[in-house]
Amino acid sequence: ISQPETRPPDFLNHHRASQRKMDHQPSKIRRSRGFSIIELMIVITIMGMLVGVTLGGVLPMLHAYRLSSSAGQLQADLAYGSQLSGKLNVPIEFRFYRHDDLNSGRNLKAFRSYQLVKRDGKTGDVIPLNRITHFEIGIVIHELENFSGILDIGEQDAGQQDPTIPLGNQTSDEYSYIEIQYRPDGSTTLPKDKIWCVTLVNENRADEDILPENFRTLVINPVTGSVRKY
């Protein structure tokens, strides 16, 4: 028995013929032209200008944020020191530390950090009550008493009964400090006849005779221990 002859549909024959015709046509390759050196230099120049404009606006904002952050934290910690003295019913010392720059390791001594401590009633040893708090990078206390009246208290060098403090990856007793003492009733040992303030600035402007455009000042009430920020 002979099998019936099968033929592909006409549209299939047409498709195959078209495909063979396309296979024999030369392919067209689209080549893209790369950047020339001049075009590349123009792009880099434009990008550099954009980065410069951006940094010019970002850096002052970043510095203002660091100032506000450091001042806000200091205000909260000063208030905490007053509260802690009442809670423990013992005098508490709020110490500002002058030491080198922890980030660069350079010999740039300034008041860069602070800590709450108390004295042992029997031995007189100084006992830290919390970890040292460092101001934001580049923020220090202004060095002139006109703007940081707290410096009028008098700076002291670390003694044998004082704790070591972390400087970089090690601890050191080569630092100095000023201190405010809080009493359990909330008052301080600061004299009442003076305005006691702490002004935070960029460390590059810490010894100038005039205040820079950006600064933060905290005023401590010697009677109540309260702190106002400006």
Side-chain angles (χ1 to χ4, degrees):
I1 302 173
S2 61
Q3 296 293 333
E5 182 179 358
T6 59
R7 295 181 178 178
D10 292 340
F11 76 89
L12 186 58
N13 290 331
H14 178 72
H15 172 72
R16 290 175 177 173
S18 299
Q19 187 66 39
R20 286 195 297 270
K21 184 178 180 181
M22 293 178 61
D23 292 340
H24 286 84
Q25 292 180 352
S27 60
K28 296 181 179 180
I29 301 175
R30 185 178 182 181
R31 298 180 179 179
S32 60
R33 183 174 63 90
F35 286 107
S36 67
I37 296 179
I38 295 178
E39 291 173 332
L40 188 59
M41 291 178 63
I42 292 175
V43 171
I44 293 175
T45 302
I46 294 175
M47 291 180 63
M49 293 173 61
L50 292 175
V51 170
V53 172
T54 302
L55 290 179
V58 170
L59 290 180
M61 292 177 58
L62 179 60
H63 176 59
Y65 167 77
R66 288 174 175 172
L67 271 173
S68 297
S69 176
S70 296
Q73 186 65 51
L74 177 56
Q75 183 182 27
D77 290 339
L78 284 166
Y80 175 68
S82 179
Q83 296 171 5
L84 187 61
S85 179
K87 181 178 180 180
L88 299 179
N89 198 31
V90 294
I92 296 296
E93 295 177 9
F94 195 101
R95 289 190 169 187
F96 294 96
Y97 292 129
R98 180 200 288 271
H99 52 73
D100 295 334
D101 184 358
L102 303 181
N103 298 289
S104 67
R106 294 175 298 172
N107 186 21
L108 296 173
K109 291 188 180 297
F111 288 101
R112 304 177 181 275
S113 61
Y114 57 86
Q115 186 177 35
L116 289 167
V117 302
K118 71 173 183 178
R119 290 187 179 272
D120 186 291
K122 296 181 179 180
T123 64
D125 292 336
V126 178
I127 304 171
L129 297 177
N130 62 349
R131 298 179 64 181
I132 292 177
T133 300
H134 299 278
F135 295 131
E136 296 278 353
I137 296 174
I139 305 302
V140 299
I141 295 178
H142 200 291
E143 295 287 339
L144 299 184
E145 295 179 8
N146 292 342
F147 308 124
S148 296
I150 200 74
L151 300 178
D152 192 43
I153 297 175
E155 191 174 341
Q156 305 179 56
D157 293 326
Q160 294 183 348
Q161 294 178 315
D162 294 310
T164 58
I165 63 174
L167 292 178
N169 297 324
Q170 59 185 0
T171 58
S172 173
D173 58 0
E174 296 184 1
Y175 65 88
S176 56
Y177 66 91
I178 53 177
E179 66 181 28
I180 304 170
Q181 188 176 101
Y182 286 102
R183 301 187 182 103
D185 62 0
S187 63
T188 73
T189 55
L190 297 172
K192 304 176 183 179
D193 57 349
K194 185 175 180 178
I195 297 176
W196 298 98
C197 57
V198 180
T199 298
L200 302 182
V201 295
N202 187 297
E203 62 181 331
N204 296 327
R205 312 290 298 273
D207 57 354
E208 296 182 353
D209 294 334
I210 59 175
L211 285 174
E213 181 179 354
N214 290 324
F215 67 92
R216 297 292 183 274
T217 296
L218 287 80
V219 178
I220 304 171
N221 187 313
V223 178
T224 64
S226 61
V227 183
R228 298 188 65 178
K229 183 177 62 175
Y230 297 92

